[in-house]
Amino acid sequence: NLETIVKRLKETGATLVFATTTPVPAGELGRKVGDDKIYNDAALAVMKKHKIKVNDLHAVMAGKMNKFGKKPGDVHFTAEGSALLAEAVARGIRKNLPKGEAGK
């Protein structure tokens, strides 16, 4: 599905930036530790193939789930964790906007 989505989005002429998924902590219901790596590795292969920039949100939260996760075994974030991710997302967008678009 990701391959199809990327092809369609590239047709729009938009600047594409892919954000990796954040870590899956131990005890998360419905997910397994390591799923994040499997999903990110598969997605990164597609992004590399299509030369799409990557914003590594996994790296932003790696080793920080105990501090920024809502509770143990939860993939969701506290307000502080969400703010940290929001800053990383905004930085990734600004960094990858076409020249002259950053201030608009």
Side-chain angles (χ1 to χ4, degrees):
N1 287 339
L2 192 54
E3 183 75 33
T4 300
I5 292 167
V6 167
K7 286 178 182 177
R8 286 186 186 166
L9 288 173
K10 285 183 81 172
E11 290 173 0
T12 70
T15 299
L16 304 181
V17 179
F18 178 79
T20 57
T21 192
T22 54
V24 175
E28 170 63 31
L29 295 176
R31 295 180 178 98
K32 297 176 188 164
V33 171
D35 278 353
D36 48 329
K37 180 170 175 24
I38 293 167
Y39 298 145
N40 283 333
D41 286 350
L44 291 172
V46 174
M47 298 311 128
K48 183 177 181 179
K49 175 181 174 183
H50 290 280
K51 297 180 173 87
I52 294 174
K53 302 286 184 179
V54 174
N55 189 353
D56 193 358
L57 298 183
H58 188 279
V60 172
M61 282 298 162
K64 299 176 186 165
M65 292 303 290
N66 287 339
K67 180 175 181 181
F68 295 114
K70 281 192 171 184
K71 61 185 177 187
D74 192 342
V75 295
H76 300 98
F77 300 98
T78 62
E80 185 180 13
S82 293
L84 181 66
L85 285 168
E87 289 172 17
V89 169
R91 204 170 32 252
I93 291 169
R94 281 192 303 268
K95 177 181 171 185
N96 291 294
L97 281 175
K99 299 271 190 252
E101 294 290 319
K104 293 183 180 179

